Amino acid sequence: MSAVTEPGVSFKRDLSEWRIALVAWRLLVLQAADPVVAAGMTEHSTYRAHPWRRVEHTLGSGRRLFYQDAEVLEREIARLDRAHKRIRGTAPDGRPYDARDAATRAWVLLTLFECVAAMRRLGGDPYDEGQSEEAYGEFREAVAAFGLPEGELPATAKDLPGYFARYARERLECTDAVRYLMGDLLREAPRPRRLWFLGDAGWRVVRRVVARVVTELTVADLPPAVRERFGMAVTWRAALLSVVLHRGAGALVRWLPDRLRYRSPDEERPPRRYRPRRDARGPRLDRFFREVLDQTGDGFITVHDLRAMAHNVCWQLELDEAAEARVYEAFEGWWEQLRAAMDADGDGQVSREEFVAATVAGCDRDGAYLEQGLLPALRAVFTAADTDGSGFLEFDEYRAVFGGPRVHPVELSQGFRQLDTDGDGRITREEFLHGFTEFFTARGDSTSGTQLLGRA
């Protein structure tokens, strides 16, 4: 077999290499070291419960920014703007934060370029001076659409090392988000769908090893200025691990055909294998809490979890400002119903046990219980997803809000069929609401809406 010949340097092509996974955690750590990003992650992100989704969203957004045409780029930037304008507030230390801060946005974008360059360098095929300037020019051309103020981005690739050292010294901190990323998160992370064959027990064993490897690799690979800022030292074992993994991957990919070397944005995920489990209201609601409601993964639901759900709906659908506002308003109303019915001590959060018990009791006591919060939120989702205003959800419209890289087509089709009770290939508003009502209220497992999340 002969090596694949590279037709010149391309930042976009390098971003799509599979070995970008080796620097993906490093990318998250660098971004979370900015206090503004860290505050936003703490208050608004679901990275604790869904770390792999955070990585996918970051890299997926990068591919849309750099792979597609001007129209896709414009839509992606508009979507990022809409999402970030809601990420603002006051951090626990009293400092205000706003995700639209120009310096922070420049930092987040530049970490993507820096990690691709690091991937090449650590793999033994670094950009030379000319290639670095060419790749950086390609990068700058794409991010120019963000309209960052003049001077926020270094003018040339040659200026990047100085920028990173200065930013690390003046802005970066070993935030709580960084410490969690480098510590407990990987030891608690849910099983990636690609590793479904391990089962929960197997994943608990494997993730201990994964946590140690990723942590040591990340420390070894961080820019020296950042390690110095964090007070981290590289052990000989971590340095050796970095050399073996990066150089080995760098040598391997040069012999791979493009279809194996580069990741397609539309690549399908393997199906999830389900384990048999008794299906009743209690287990279903428990699962709904864990997989849907508890977006932040802390074991409670708060207003931030409901806002994160609204964000994910709006993100998938690329709604305009007025439509987004209607979705957020409906989810805020749902939270108020949950808080009033379940937050007995007034601490602003609801536990899983409280949610399951109160929902079962509420549905038993009052036939209109779901009308007080869940169903209005679902009506808002239906209206937003019904982009052509037909009064029906076609499969493409359903896929736009419930699909995504983590959902296998089989699961998506199953959910659609569960709601399409008359089998005419489209979902009415009544079918949509009825399916979710059955999920919450049906005592058995044979009715149409009880397996919307798949079989447990």
Side-chain angles (χ1 to χ4, degrees):
M1 177 184 288
S2 60
V4 175
T5 303
E6 295 191 40
V9 67
S10 170
F11 169 76
K12 297 178 183 179
R13 187 179 64 244
D14 292 340
L15 179 61
S16 70
E17 270 201 23
W18 276 106
R19 59 178 171 147
I20 196 73
L22 291 176
V23 292
W25 212 255
R26 176 186 188 275
L27 173 66
L28 293 186
V29 169
L30 287 175
Q31 293 180 352
D34 185 298
V36 175
V37 177
M41 289 174 68
T42 299
E43 292 288 340
H44 301 273
S45 177
T46 60
Y47 78 102
R48 289 176 179 255
H50 306 285
W52 314 120
R53 184 171 71 186
R54 170 63 193 240
V55 173
E56 288 171 351
H57 279 188
T58 300
L59 296 179
S61 184
R63 286 194 298 275
R64 285 188 292 273
L65 290 173
F66 297 106
Y67 282 171
Q68 309 297 335
D69 57 27
E71 182 181 351
V72 174
L73 172 61
E74 184 178 343
R75 288 205 308 268
E76 182 64 16
I77 290 176
R79 174 162 59 175
L80 290 169
D81 284 340
R82 290 195 303 271
H84 288 158
K85 76 178 181 180
R86 301 182 187 277
I87 302 177
R88 61 184 185 273
T90 303
D93 61 8
R95 288 183 293 181
Y97 67 90
D98 190 327
R100 295 170 296 178
D101 173 67
T104 299
R105 299 190 82 177
W107 168 254
V108 169
L109 290 169
L110 285 166
T111 56
L112 193 61
F113 178 85
E114 194 275 343
C115 279
V116 171
M119 176 193 75
R120 295 271 308 231
R121 183 182 70 253
L122 294 166
D125 55 337
Y127 292 138
D128 61 30
E129 185 175 343
Q131 290 175 328
S132 183
E133 295 297 345
E134 183 180 348
Y136 187 60
E138 186 181 2
F139 167 83
R140 278 183 59 101
E141 182 180 352
V143 302
F146 278 92
L148 292 171
E150 187 69 27
E152 285 295 346
L153 295 177
T156 67
K158 190 182 299 184
D159 300 322
L160 285 172
Y163 166 88
F164 268 82
R166 184 174 61 258
Y167 202 92
R169 183 175 62 254
E170 297 176 357
R171 293 273 304 239
L172 298 191
E173 299 175 6
C174 191
T175 62
D176 289 342
V178 166
R179 286 190 286 271
Y180 190 69
L181 284 167
M182 299 289 285
D184 294 335
L185 178 54
L186 284 167
R187 288 190 285 270
E188 301 171 357
R191 183 180 73 249
R193 290 198 175 212
R194 288 184 175 279
L195 302 182
W196 58 267
F197 54 86
L198 290 175
D200 290 338
W203 171 242
R204 283 195 291 271
V205 174
V206 168
R207 71 181 172 188
R208 292 197 194 100
V209 178
V210 171
R212 188 162 190 172
V213 168
V214 172
T215 299
E216 293 197 354
L217 181 67
T218 301
V219 172
D221 293 347
L222 285 173
V226 176
R227 279 202 307 269
E228 181 180 350
R229 178 70 168 163
F230 292 173
M232 296 177 176
V234 182
T235 64
W236 67 267
R237 182 173 57 195
L240 179 61
L241 177 69
S242 176
V243 170
V244 169
L245 289 180
H246 286 292
R247 292 299 179 98
L252 173 63
V253 297
R254 286 192 283 273
W255 292 93
L256 293 177
D258 285 355
R259 64 184 176 81
L260 297 179
R261 180 173 182 175
Y262 300 106
R263 179 180 180 180
S264 167
D266 299 322
E267 177 182 308
E268 291 187 353
R269 302 293 195 264
R272 179 177 180 180
R273 186 177 69 179
Y274 298 104
R275 293 179 291 107
R277 183 178 177 183
R278 183 175 63 88
D279 191 282
R281 285 188 301 174
R284 280 202 307 272
L285 293 173
D286 185 276
R287 187 179 177 198
F288 187 82
F289 183 100
R290 290 182 287 105
E291 297 187 11
V292 179
L293 286 177
D294 185 15
Q295 292 281 307
T296 55
D298 60 359
F300 297 91
I301 49 176
T302 69
V303 66
H304 296 302
D305 293 286
L306 274 294
R307 288 172 180 168
M309 291 173 66
H311 163 77
N312 285 329
V313 171
C314 296
W315 180 270
Q316 297 292 346
L317 294 175
E318 302 182 18
L319 303 177
D320 61 29
E321 189 162 354
E324 279 198 357
R326 288 191 291 271
V327 172
Y328 273 89
E329 182 180 359
F331 276 82
E332 292 277 354
W334 187 10
W335 163 247
E336 285 304 315
Q337 184 255 342
L338 294 175
R339 181 192 59 77
M342 304 174 190
D343 182 18
D345 58 5
D347 63 352
Q349 59 185 17
V350 175
S351 71
R352 185 171 70 246
E353 294 78 12
E354 289 172 328
F355 170 77
V356 173
T359 302
V360 170
C363 290
D364 284 343
R365 181 182 65 251
D366 183 359
Y369 179 79
L370 298 180
E371 191 60 58
Q372 300 168 29
L374 171 68
L375 296 184
L378 290 174
R379 287 192 188 93
V381 172
F382 185 96
T383 300
D386 180 20
T387 53
D388 61 3
S390 66
F392 301 94
L393 290 190
E394 309 288 348
F395 183 71
D396 286 346
E397 292 172 322
Y398 178 84
R399 179 172 55 196
V401 66
F402 292 103
R406 290 172 58 87
V407 182
H408 192 269
V410 172
E411 294 178 324
L412 196 65
S413 296
Q414 179 187 3
F416 187 85
R417 288 194 301 270
Q418 286 278 307
L419 294 172
D420 180 21
T421 53
D422 62 5
D424 65 352
R426 57 185 186 175
I427 299 169
T428 65
R429 185 190 305 269
E430 290 71 26
E431 287 175 328
F432 187 74
L433 299 178
H434 180 70
F436 280 95
T437 299
E438 286 192 331
F439 181 90
F440 275 77
T441 60
R443 297 175 183 272
D445 60 0
S446 59
T447 51
S448 61
T450 57
Q451 295 179 14
L452 287 173
L453 300 182
R455 289 176 296 164

